[in-house]
Amino acid sequence: MKPFAAIMLMILVVSCEKEQNVTRFSSWQSSPTEEKLLQQLMTGFKEKNKNIAFKFEPIPGNYSEKIQLMLGTHQPPDLFWIKDYTSPAFLRFNTLAPL
């Protein structure tokens, strides 16, 4: 696996319960500047993909723990960032599909 791709690996999660026809994306957020940049990216995505209902749900703290809880309760986001060194632990349980 290429290092850059592994660090920024985006995972698609099949969720049992999700908002009807809305794709949920979560990412960590380390600062207001980072949140602003991610919001700009999401705005650009929405402008280019008007047929996709998309919701950005930032996680400001305890990111790994929150994702684990969301997976354990069958309410994870559809897409989320995961680092290369944590992905094997998540993939081991067959709850994720790499994009």
Side-chain angles (χ1 to χ4, degrees), residues 1-46:
M1 191 178 283
K2 297 187 189 284
F4 179 76
I7 292 172
M8 297 309 225
L9 181 64
M10 194 175 259
I11 302 296
L12 174 65
V13 179
V14 178
S15 176
C16 296
E17 297 177 24
K18 70 181 226 176
E19 291 182 46
Q20 199 170 33
N21 299 321
V22 174
T23 300
R24 295 172 48 224
F25 169 67
S26 286
S27 178
W28 57 83
Q29 164 190 326
S30 63
S31 69
T33 302
E34 185 177 40
E35 181 182 7
K36 183 178 178 180
L37 289 171
L38 285 170
Q39 290 291 356
Q40 289 173 350
L41 287 171
M42 299 304 111
T43 299
F45 178 85
K46 287 179 181 182

Side-chain angles (χ1 to χ4, degrees), residues 20 23 37 39 43 51 58 61-62 66 69 74 78 83 85:
Q20 199 170 33
T23 300
L37 289 171
Q39 290 291 356
T43 299
N51 60 328
N62 299 321
K66 176 72 173 181
L69 178 64
H74 305 288
D78 300 297
K83 294 196 178 217
Y85 62 87

